[in-house]
Amino acid sequence: MMADEPSRYEFGVTRWSLVLQGQKDGMPGDRARNELLERYHGAVNGFLLARLGDPHAVDEVYEIDVDRVKEKHPFLQRANKEKGRFRHYLRRILQNLIIDYHRRRQRPKGHQ
């Protein structure tokens, strides 16, 4: 893949100003986080569906992702333009959520 090609899941070009705004408190940060969720919705769902293969599992993992973004979870705070592309960082976060999802499903009932 060439450097300027869109990613396989259409994550597109990162608007770092939006990511940085989303790291802030208050209404501007809330608006930015909502816009980030809208902007990446299709790519995130495509990525999750390709990895999980189950739309119900995708919904469950996506809901956790949305909750984390809206509550200004530390993962958004750690996004850093100097450390690399946001889409790579986001895919790593999603992969970690998938791993957590599988771990939760493997636990015996009553230990969750």
Side-chain angles (χ1 to χ4, degrees):
M1 178 183 301
M2 300 294 291
D4 292 337
E5 279 185 51
S7 72
R8 180 172 157 190
Y9 302 105
E10 300 301 323
F11 280 89
V13 176
T14 300
R15 286 187 43 213
W16 278 102
S17 60
L18 191 60
V19 172
L20 295 174
Q21 190 70 29
Q23 294 174 341
K24 296 180 180 176
D25 291 324
M27 188 58 71
D30 293 343
R31 269 197 301 270
R33 287 188 295 278
N34 285 331
E35 190 172 335
L36 283 168
L37 288 168
E38 285 179 31
R39 180 176 177 84
Y40 288 100
H41 175 79
V44 166
N45 273 315
F47 180 88
L48 292 173
L49 188 57
R51 296 296 190 285
L52 292 166
D54 174 7
H56 297 292
V58 169
D59 290 344
E60 188 175 329
V61 173
Y62 185 75
E63 187 175 315
I64 293 168
D65 180 55
V66 168
D67 289 346
R68 286 183 175 189
V69 170
K70 285 191 172 194
E71 71 185 26
K72 207 176 80 160
H73 190 272
F75 97 81
L76 188 57
Q77 298 294 75
R78 290 185 206 116
N80 183 333
K81 186 176 183 176
E82 304 305 316
K83 292 185 179 180
R85 293 183 175 187
F86 183 69
R87 75 182 72 139
H88 295 166
Y89 177 68
L90 181 56
R91 282 189 287 217
R92 170 54 31 214
I93 296 298
L94 294 171
Q95 191 60 46
N96 289 344
L97 289 174
I98 290 168
I99 290 167
D100 291 345
Y101 168 79
H102 287 299
R103 285 181 182 152
R104 281 192 310 276
R105 288 180 44 103
Q106 291 175 352
R107 288 185 196 144
K109 296 284 184 196
H111 287 97
Q112 298 178 357

